[in-house]
C-alpha cells in the first residue's frame, strides 16, 4: 500500500466522444531525464520526455495499442517497470493491466511490450458544457525532490515517512524559498462552459480543489456519470478523478485555482520544511485579461457547499450490483499498521508481499488443478471469488490511526468500478442508488465501516488484497485472457536480471 511508485506513475485518460471505433496506436518511450517542474532539478522517469505523460484521447469503443519501450537508465530509479491502466476495465485483457506480480512481471530494461486496451464511457451530460479537450485536463501531483528508491531506503532504515517537497498542477509547482516557477494557466473565454477533468496522480498527498468565484458542478466520477452536483470545493485522494463543469461568467480577469495539499493530515511538515501544501495554485485566465497571476488574495478550500461523497447520485440508476438484497459473499477488511515494522500496513493481520510468480501466471499454470486460496502464499493474501457473484466488503479502520492520520485509498481492483454502499463521508448504507467509482477512501468503524459492492463479471486478479476472480473463467471460455508470447517472456527475462536492474 505504501510503495512510492512516483517514478513510474503515468497518466492515462480517455476523452470520450461519439465517432466510429478505431484502433489507436501509440509508442511510449520510457526514459530518465532531468526535469524541474518546481524549480528543483531531479531525474525522473518520463513517457516520451514529458511530465505529466502524454494524453491518450480515445473515442468510445476504440482499442488502444500502446508499445512501451523501457529505456530507463538512472540507477536511482527502478530500472524495471510496468504501466498500470487505472480505471480501464481491461475485459479479456487482464494480462496487460500492469500491476507487477499480480498480472505480470515488470518490464526489464531495454525491453518492450505491446499492450492492447479498450473501454470508455459515453457522456449523457454532454449538453452541460462547450469545451472538453487537452487544455481542460488538470492533473494534481505530489512531487518529491528525491527518487522513490532513495526515499524508500531512508524510510525503511528508520527515518520518517517521506513527505513531498511540493504539489504540482499539471507541470508546475513551488516549494518553500524555491524559484517562483510560472504557474500553469488554464485559458477560458468569457461565456463558455468548460468540462475540467481533475486527475490525482498523487502517491500520498490529498488535494482540495477550488476555483475563485467559480462553483464546480460535478458530472462524472471515475468514468461514471452522475447527476450534476454543485460544490465549492472538492477533495481528491490519490488516484481519484472527477469531471467538473465551470461557467466562465465572471468579469474578464485572472482567478486562482487552488489545490491545497495535505500530507499526513497537515499542510506543513515537521520533517520536510520545503513542503507548503497551501502553495499549490494555477491560474484561470480569461481571454483578454492581463498575463500573470491574479492580483486578488489567494483562496483556499472554503465556501458553504462541501463535497459529500454520499450525495453523489449515479445517472445510471439501475441500482447496486446484484440488486438491493444481501450480497452473495461479504468480507470484513480491518486495516492496521505495525510501528515496529516500518509502519507497514496490514489487512486482517496480513501484510501483502508480492509473490515471485505473478498471481495471473499462477492461475494460468493451474489449468487442471483445483485452485484454492492455499495455492497462494499467506502474504499474497489472495481470496478466490466465484463467477457472477455479488461481493460486499466492509473496510474498517485505516483512517485516524495514531501512526497515520491520513486516509489510505484502496484501489481494490482495476477491473471494477464498485458501488459505495457506505461512504467515509457519513450517512448510513445506501442499497438503492449508491454512487459508483473505482477509488474510495477507507476508514470507518466496526459499526459504520466503508462498504463497497461489486459483481464478479470480469475474470481478473486485482490489487492490495488480491481477489482472484473466477480463476476457471480466466483460463477458459469467452471471457478468458489471451496472453501473447511477449508477455509470456516477461518473467523469464526479469528473473535473470541482477538486483540492480530489477
Ligand atoms: C538545472 O539544470 C539545467 C540544465 O538541465 C541547468 O541549466 C540549471 O543550471 C540547473 N539548475 C540548478 C539549480 O542546478
Ligand atoms: C478539504 O477542506 C475541508 C475544509 O477545510 C476539510 O474539512 C477537508 O478535510 C479537506 N480535505 C482534504 C482532503 O484535505
Ligand atoms: C455563473 O454561472 C453559475 C453556474 O451556471 C451560476 O450559478 C451563476 O449564477 C452565474 N453567475 C453570474 C454572475 O451569471
Ligand atoms: C526560507 O527562508 C526563510 C527566510 O530566509 C528562512 O527563515 C527559512 O528557514 C527558509 N526555509 C526553508 C525551508 O528553506
Ligand atoms: C505557504 O503558502 C501560502 C500561500 O501562498 C503563504 O501564504 C505562506 O506564507 C507560505 N508559507 C511558507 C512557510 O512559505
Ligand atoms: C463483519 O464484522 C461485523 C461487525 O463486527 C460482524 O457482525 C460480521 O459478522 C462480520 N462479517 C464477516 C463476514 O466476518
Ligand atoms: C509487527 O512487526 C514485528 C516486527 O516485524 C513482528 O515481530 C510482530 O509480530 C508484528 N506484529 C503484528 C501484530 O503483526
Ligand atoms: C448471473 O446470475 C444471475 C442471477 O443469479 C443470473 O440471472 C444470470 O443468468 C447469471 N449470469 C451468468 C452469465 O451466469
Ligand atoms: C454527508 O451526507 C450524509 C447524508 O447522506 C450525512 O449523514 C453526513 O453527515 C454528511 N457528512 C458530512 C461530513 O456532512
Amino acid at each position: 500500500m505504501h510503495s512510492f511508485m512516483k517514478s513510474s506513475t503515468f497518466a492515462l485518460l480517455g476523452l470520450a466522444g461519439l465517432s466510429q471505433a478505431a484502433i489507436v496506436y501509440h509508442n511510449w518511450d520510457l526514459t530518465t531525464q532531468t526535469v524541474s517542474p518546481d524549480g528543483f532539478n531531479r531525474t525522473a522517469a518520463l513517457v516520451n520526455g514529458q511530465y505529466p505523460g502524454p494524453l491518450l484521447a480515445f473515442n468510445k469503443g476504440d482499442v488502444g495499442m500502446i508499445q512501451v519501450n523501457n529505456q530507463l537508465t538512472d540507477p536511482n530509479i527502478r530500472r524495471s517497470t510496468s504501466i498500470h491502466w487505472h480505471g480501464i476495465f481491461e475485459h479479456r485483457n487482464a494480462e496487460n493491466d500492469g500491476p507487477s506480480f499480480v498480472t505480470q512481471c515488470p518490464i526489464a530494461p531495454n525491453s518492450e511490450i505491446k499492450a492492447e486496451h479498450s473501454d470508455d464511457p459515453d457522456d449523457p451530460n454532454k449538453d452541460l458544457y462547450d469545451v472538453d479537450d487537452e487544455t481542460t485536463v488538470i492533473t494534481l501531483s505530489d512531487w518529491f525532490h528525491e527518487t522513490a528508491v532513495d526515499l524508500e531506503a531512508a524510510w525503511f532504515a528508520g527515518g520518517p515517512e517521506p513527505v513531498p517537497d511540493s504539489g504540482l498542477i499539471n507541470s508546475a509547482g513551488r516549494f518553500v524559498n524555491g524559484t517562483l516557477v510560472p504557474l500553469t494557466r488554464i485559458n477560458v473565454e468569457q461565456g463558455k462552459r468548460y468540462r475540467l477533468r481533475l486527475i490525482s496522480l498523487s502517491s500520498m498527498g490529498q488535494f482540495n480543489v477550488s476555483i475563485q468565484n467559480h462553483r464546480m458542478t460535478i458530472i462524472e466520477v471515475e468514468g461514471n456519470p452522475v447527476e450534476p452536483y454543485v460544490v465549492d470545493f472538492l477533495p481528491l485522494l490519490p488516484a481519484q478523478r472527477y469531471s467538473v463543469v465551470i461557467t466562465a461568467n465572471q468579469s474578464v480577469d485572472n482567478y486562482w485555482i487552488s489545490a491545497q495539499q495535505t500530507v499526513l493530515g497537515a499542510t506543513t511538515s515537521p520533517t520536510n520544511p520545503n513542503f507548503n501544501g497551501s502553495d499549490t495554485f494555477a491560474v484561470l485566465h480569461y481571454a483578454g485579461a492581463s498575463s500573470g497571476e491574479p492580483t486578488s488574495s489567494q483562496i483556499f478550500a472554503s465556501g458553504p457547499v462541501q463535497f459529500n461523497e454520499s450525495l453523489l447520485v449515479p445517472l445510471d440508476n439501475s441500482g447496486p450490483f446484484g440488486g438491493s438484497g444481501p450480497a452473495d459473499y461479504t468480507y470484513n477488511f480491518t486495516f492496521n499498521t505495525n510501528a515496529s515494522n516500518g509502519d507497514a500496513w496490514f489487512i486482517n493481520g496480513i501484510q501483502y508481499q508480492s509473490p515471485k510468480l505473478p498471481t495471473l501466471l499462477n492461475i494460468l499454470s493451474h489449468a487442471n488443478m483445483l485452485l484454492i486460496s492455499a495455492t497462494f502464499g499467506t502474504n499474497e493474501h489472495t481470496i478466490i471469488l466465484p463467477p457472477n457473484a455479488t461481493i460486499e466488503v466492509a473496510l474498517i479502520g485505516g483512517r485516524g490511526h495514531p501512526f497515520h492520520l491520513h486516509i489510505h485509498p484502496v484501489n481494490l481492483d482495476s477491473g471494477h468500478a464498485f458501488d459505495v454502499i457506505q461512504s467515509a463521508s457519513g450517512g448510513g448504507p445506501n442499497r438503492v442508488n449508491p454512487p459508483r467509482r473505482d477509488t474510495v477512501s477507507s476508514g470507518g468503524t466496526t459499526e459504520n465501516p466503508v462498504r463497497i459492492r461489486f459483481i464478479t463479471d470480469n475474470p481478473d486478479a486485482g490489487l492490495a488484497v488480491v481477489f482472484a476472480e473466477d480463476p476457471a473463467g480466466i483460463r477458459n471460455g469467452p471471457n478468458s485472457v489471451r496472453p501473447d508470447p511477449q508477455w509470456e517472456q516477461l518473467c523469464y527475462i526479469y528473473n535473470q536480471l541482477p538486483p540492480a536492474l530489477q
Side-chain angles (χ1 to χ4, degrees):
M1 307 255 328
H2 245 122
S3 65
F4 277 79
M5 292 300 290
K6 189 87 254 161
S7 57
S8 49
T9 300
F10 302 106
L12 171 93
L13 175 80
L15 292 177
L18 285 170
S19 58
Q20 287 293 312
I23 299 182
V24 183
Y25 293 89
H26 288 273
N27 192 65
W28 278 11
D29 292 329
L30 309 186
T31 57
T32 36
Q33 275 171 248
T34 300
V35 290
S36 52
D38 65 354
F40 180 92
N41 285 349
R42 61 157 283 182
T43 47
L46 306 181
V47 177
N48 296 349
Q50 291 171 237
Y51 188 89
L55 176 74
L56 295 182
F58 289 116
N59 290 306
K60 179 181 164 69
D62 283 356
V63 173
M65 296 285 281
I66 290 91
Q67 164 91 31
V68 175
N69 310 306
N70 180 358
Q71 298 161 12
L72 302 172
T73 51
D74 189 312
N76 293 320
I77 286 178
R78 290 293 288 268
R79 300 289 302 278
S80 295
T81 190
S82 74
I83 305 280
H84 170 51
W85 302 88
H86 189 91
I88 304 285
F89 294 156
E90 306 285 10
H91 184 63
R92 296 202 70 183
N93 194 33
E95 76 275 14
N96 282 323
D97 192 40
S100 295
F101 305 107
V102 179
T103 58
Q104 68 172 79
C105 280
I107 308 168
N110 301 313
S111 62
E112 56 181 43
I113 188 160
K114 202 173 276 149
E116 174 192 319
H117 309 271
S118 70
D119 239 314
D120 219 350
D122 247 317
D123 187 17
N125 282 319
K126 205 163 176 45
D127 57 349
L128 296 182
Y129 53 90
D130 308 304
V131 183
D132 170 33
D133 61 23
E134 65 280 1
T135 69
T136 55
V137 175
I138 298 182
T139 62
L140 309 169
S141 319
D142 50 6
W143 188 254
F144 297 79
H145 288 172
E146 291 178 68
T147 67
V149 168
D150 295 342
L151 290 169
E152 209 168 66
W155 182 26
F156 289 174
E161 187 166 355
V163 167
D165 294 284
S166 60
L168 309 181
I169 299 182
N170 292 352
S171 57
R174 292 173 180 174
F175 62 98
V176 174
N177 297 347
T179 34
L180 297 181
V181 171
L183 300 175
T184 291
R185 193 162 111 170
I186 304 295
N187 293 310
V188 296
E189 282 174 40
Q190 197 183 40
K192 289 192 175 162
R193 299 163 306 164
Y194 293 81
R195 175 180 183 168
L196 306 180
R197 296 180 184 250
L198 306 176
I199 303 169
S200 167
L201 303 183
S202 202
S203 56
M204 68 185 305
Q206 305 178 8
F207 290 93
N208 242 340
V209 176
S210 52
I211 306 177
Q212 187 179 19
N213 286 19
H214 296 78
R215 281 193 162 164
M216 299 173 285
T217 303
I218 302 168
I219 59 164
E220 175 259 337
V221 180
E222 289 146 19
N224 302 285
V226 292
E227 282 181 11
Y229 172 27
V230 181
V231 295
D232 284 310
F233 61 92
L234 179 59
L236 278 89
L237 306 184
Q240 289 188 326
R241 288 96 62 214
Y242 295 91
S243 285
V244 300
V245 171
I246 60 162
T247 304
N249 63 3
Q250 299 297 301
S251 47
V252 168
D253 207 340
N254 294 302
Y255 298 89
W256 293 110
I257 297 174
S258 162
Q260 194 169 36
Q261 186 183 183
T262 51
V263 170
L264 304 173
T267 54
T268 57
S269 164
T271 58
N272 188 350
N274 282 344
F275 175 68
N276 180 2
S278 298
D279 198 10
T280 317
F281 293 101
V283 177
L284 184 74
H285 174 83
Y286 277 56
S290 62
S291 59
E293 297 181 6
T295 48
S296 50
S297 49
Q298 292 171 329
I299 56 113
F300 303 97
S302 63
V305 190
Q306 292 213 17
F307 172 76
N308 181 330
E309 186 180 55
S310 70
L311 302 182
L312 289 170
V313 179
L315 268 186
D316 164 16
N317 58 0
S318 55
F321 289 118
S324 295
D328 296 325
Y329 297 88
T330 59
Y331 296 92
N332 288 337
F333 287 171
T334 302
F335 293 73
N336 278 305
T337 54
N338 183 343
S340 56
N341 194 357
D343 289 345
W345 277 91
F346 291 73
I347 296 177
N348 293 349
I350 299 173
Q351 183 185 15
Y352 178 78
Q353 283 163 357
S354 23
K356 272 197 97 76
L357 179 66
T359 312
L360 183 58
L361 264 87
N362 200 347
I363 291 168
L364 293 173
S365 68
H366 275 77
N368 300 310
M369 282 177 249
L370 187 64
L371 195 67
I372 53 171
S373 288
T375 304
F376 303 96
T378 306
N379 291 93
E380 287 184 61
H381 208 177
T382 299
I383 298 169
I384 295 172
L385 302 176
N388 198 26
T390 311
I391 313 292
E392 203 167 289
V393 181
L395 308 174
I396 300 158
R399 176 164 62 160
H401 192 281
F403 300 108
H404 291 261
L405 297 171
H406 58 304
I407 303 165
H408 280 261
V410 182
N411 170 22
L412 275 163
D413 186 339
S414 60
H416 285 284
F418 43 73
D419 296 313
V420 186
I421 298 289
Q422 196 165 357
S423 164
S425 60
N430 173 358
R431 292 193 176 84
V432 179
N433 62 345
R436 195 164 281 182
R437 65 184 313 168
D438 65 30
T439 306
V440 75
S441 161
S442 68
T445 58
T446 307
E447 299 72 37
N448 275 306
V450 170
R451 285 180 201 277
I452 60 170
R453 182 164 177 150
F454 60 97
I455 193 161
T456 53
D457 60 357
N458 187 12
D460 196 2
L463 295 174
V465 163
V466 174
F467 284 119
E469 186 173 319
D470 184 12
I474 291 177
R475 290 189 295 260
N476 299 304
N479 296 318
S480 59
V481 300
R482 299 150 295 177
D484 62 22
Q486 220 184 13
W487 180 88
E488 283 169 349
Q489 286 294 309
L490 285 172
C491 285
Y492 177 75
I493 297 170
Y494 179 83
N495 288 330
Q496 292 186 338
L497 293 173
L501 297 185
Q502 289 193 341

